[in-house]
């Protein structure tokens, strides 16, 4: 990734290397000719002197540029920092004290300060900041529309639009969800999730569905949507592939999307154990078990995969009564330490009396020891 000034530095280094290659090539040719007595000594000395002069000039140019580059960037960063702080104060006074602002266009530090405030504030103040951003003309749009913009410029533009959160900019972001560069696709997913409002959420859902992003990136986008995620999660569950459905189930539980709780049931019978585990986790996070799913939960207590048994045991307290107690009592005999721990924690939720009885009378010594440990921690 290029930073400002590094393209010129790369060009200068390339020029230095090219000059050195030219000088060395000339020396090789001249000395080879001298070996066969094809050139006089004076010509050889002259070629050697030229090579030394080129090398010295190249080193001086490179050293001078490096020193000047660091001095200039340090001064510029300090100047931009001061300007950023000044504009931050100016925008804050305009918000809270109604002081007038100079007309746009505003310099780059002013836009950075405006984005920082927009990301921080909400409500009416945020709407005023959005109006100022629109007045600024959204200079980042050029980088996203242009064909020759670099990857860093596009990433910077996507991040700026994510901070600005202007719904009308979603059309600039959505095409990048189909970009061949996975880094730009991820940045576009993050930006789109923060920007999308109303009908834009459905457009974002379709674009995410076709983006080919991995499950972690899809889950991050869903979590960034927060309360707007419900239609996207519903579409993923209905039409998504393995990655999209896993992300949707995880988001469903984490965002507490109770209206979609009934859609979890089919995934408890899915052939993919990871999707079944995600469905069990979603129910546990919701703290709600729809009627008729008790058998499916209990069946997972005998699953060969440890992570499935663990998720099922965590759900058992939601069954309540004797059924939950019998299931947790049996899970204390599980060969997995983590499953036994979850079973003991579940018995604690049913009451310390049940946990104390398991610590005293459970037939499995490991289950008895685990119940005793959790009981001691609880008391």
């Amino acid at each position: 990734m290029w930073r400002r000034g590094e393209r010129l530095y790369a060009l200068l280094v390339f020029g230095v290397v090219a000059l050195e290659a030219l000088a060395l090539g000339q020396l090789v040719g001249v000395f080879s000719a001298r070996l066969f007595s094809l050139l006089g000594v004076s010509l050889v000395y002259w070629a050697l002197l030229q090579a030394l002069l080129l090398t010295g000039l190249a080193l001086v140019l490179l050293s001078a540029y490096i020193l000047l580059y660091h001095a200039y960037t340090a001064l510029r960063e300090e100047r931009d920092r001061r300007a950023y702080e000044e504009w931050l104060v100016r925008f804050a006074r305009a918000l809270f004290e109604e002081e007038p602002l100079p007309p746009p266009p505003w310099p780059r530090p002013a836009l950075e300060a405006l984005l920082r405030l927009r990301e921080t504030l909400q409500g009416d103040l945020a709407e005023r900041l959005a109006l100022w951003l629109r007045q600024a003309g959204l200079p980042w749009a050029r980088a996203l529309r242009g064909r020759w913009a670099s990857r860093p410029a596009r990433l910077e533009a996507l991040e700026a639009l994510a901070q600005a959160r202007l719904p009308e900019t979603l059309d600039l972001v959505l095409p990048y969800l189909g970009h061949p560069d996975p880094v730009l696709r991820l940045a576009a997913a993050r930006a789109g999730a923060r920007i999308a409002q109303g009908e834009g959420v459905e457009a974002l859902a379709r674009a995410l569905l076709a983006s080919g992003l991995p499950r972690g990136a899809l889950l991050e986008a869903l979590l960034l949507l927060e309360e707007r995620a419900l239609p996207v999660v519903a579409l993923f569950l209905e039409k998504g592939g393995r990655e999209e459905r896993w992300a949707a189930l995880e988001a469903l539980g984490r965002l507490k999307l109770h209206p979609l709780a009934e859609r979890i049931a089919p995934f408890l019978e899915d052939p993919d154990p990871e999707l079944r585990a995600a469905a069990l986790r979603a129910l546990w996070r919701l703290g709600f078990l729809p009627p008729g799913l008790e058998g499916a939960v209990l069946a997972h207590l005998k699953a060969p995969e440890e992570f499935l048994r663990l998720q099922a045991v965590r759900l058992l307290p939601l069954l309540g009564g004797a059924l939950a107690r019998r299931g947790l009592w049996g899970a204390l005999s599980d060969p997995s330490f983590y499953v036994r721990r979850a079973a003991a924690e579940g018995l604690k939720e049913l009451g310390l009396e049940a946990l104390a009885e398991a610590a005293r009378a459970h037939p499995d010594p490991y289950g008895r020891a685990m119940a005793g440990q959790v009981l001691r921690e609880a008391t």
Side-chain angles (χ1 to χ4, degrees):
M1 293 177 61
W2 296 103
R3 293 183 299 177
R4 289 181 178 83
E6 289 190 347
R7 290 182 183 273
L8 181 57
Y9 176 69
L11 182 61
L12 183 61
V13 171
F14 176 78
V16 168
V17 173
L19 284 175
E20 289 301 303
L22 178 63
L24 289 175
Q26 184 181 7
L27 286 177
V28 169
V30 168
F31 277 95
S32 298
R34 177 59 188 162
L35 287 175
F36 296 100
S37 300
L38 298 177
L39 289 177
V41 175
S42 60
L43 290 176
V44 174
Y45 285 161
W46 175 243
L48 181 59
L49 179 60
Q50 284 182 327
L52 289 174
L53 288 174
L54 281 177
T55 302
L57 178 62
L59 289 176
V60 168
L61 287 175
L62 186 60
S63 301
Y65 178 81
I66 291 174
L67 293 174
L68 290 174
Y69 174 75
H70 284 287
Y72 170 74
T73 52
L75 289 173
R76 180 169 180 172
E77 287 173 2
E78 178 63 20
R79 184 193 64 190
D80 289 347
R81 184 187 64 80
R82 290 180 181 176
Y84 168 81
E85 293 174 354
E86 291 172 1
W87 277 100
L88 198 61
V89 172
R90 184 176 291 184
F91 283 124
R93 287 177 177 172
L95 279 174
F96 300 109
E97 300 176 11
E98 302 296 333
E99 289 190 6
L101 286 171
W106 295 315
R108 181 185 179 87
L111 297 178
E112 292 177 356
L114 198 54
L115 289 175
R116 176 66 179 273
L117 288 171
R118 171 65 170 157
E119 193 174 29
T120 304
L121 300 177
Q122 296 182 358
D124 294 338
L125 294 177
E127 291 305 316
R128 289 185 63 188
L129 292 167
L131 179 61
W132 292 344
L133 280 167
R134 293 185 178 99
Q135 292 174 355
L138 300 178
W140 310 283
R142 290 192 297 272
L144 295 179
R145 291 195 182 104
R147 297 182 60 184
W148 307 110
S150 64
R151 179 206 261 185
R154 295 173 193 268
L155 289 173
E156 184 180 7
L158 289 169
E159 176 61 23
L161 293 183
Q163 291 177 299
R165 303 195 314 275
L166 301 178
E168 64 268 22
T169 62
L170 184 63
D171 291 338
L172 294 171
V173 174
L174 290 183
Y176 280 87
L177 283 170
H179 199 279
D181 188 336
V183 176
L184 288 174
R185 287 208 309 275
L186 175 58
R190 291 170 175 167
R194 300 184 66 186
I195 293 170
Q197 300 284 343
E199 295 180 358
V201 175
E202 297 180 4
L204 176 65
R206 293 191 294 271
L208 285 172
L209 201 60
S211 66
L213 285 168
R215 61 175 62 180
L218 293 170
L219 176 58
E220 182 180 358
L222 293 176
L223 296 180
L224 285 171
L225 282 164
E226 297 178 337
E227 72 279 356
R228 297 164 289 139
L230 195 145
V232 186
V233 171
L235 182 65
F236 279 15
L237 291 176
E238 180 183 355
K239 298 183 178 180
R242 179 173 179 266
E243 301 289 289
E244 291 80 11
R245 290 179 177 180
W246 182 92
L249 289 169
E250 287 290 329
L252 193 158
R254 297 189 191 196
L255 296 173
K256 302 291 190 293
L257 302 178
H258 288 89
L260 298 178
E262 298 293 337
R263 299 201 184 186
I264 300 176
F267 293 97
L268 295 176
E269 306 294 335
D270 195 277
D272 187 340
E274 291 193 14
L275 284 180
R276 296 205 303 275
L280 292 168
R281 275 195 302 273
L283 291 172
W284 175 69
R285 288 181 172 129
L286 288 175
F288 168 69
L289 190 64
L293 297 184
E294 296 84 357
V297 173
L298 292 172
H300 283 92
L301 294 176
K302 303 297 182 183
E305 296 88 357
E306 176 191 25
F307 61 91
L308 280 175
R309 300 199 305 275
L310 174 61
Q311 301 303 330
V313 167
R314 294 167 76 184
L315 268 174
L316 287 178
L318 297 179
L319 300 179
L323 186 60
R325 183 166 179 167
R326 284 199 303 272
L328 292 168
W329 185 275
L332 276 175
S333 300
D334 195 276
S336 167
F337 169 89
Y338 301 101
V339 175
R340 293 197 303 273
R341 175 76 190 194
E345 294 285 353
L347 285 173
K348 184 178 72 172
E349 291 184 35
L350 297 181
L352 291 181
E353 296 82 2
L355 186 60
E357 182 181 354
R360 182 183 65 256
H362 197 278
D364 187 282
Y366 296 105
R368 198 164 57 244
M370 181 61 75
Q373 178 181 339
V374 174
L375 181 63
R376 287 190 298 273
E377 292 174 1
T379 56

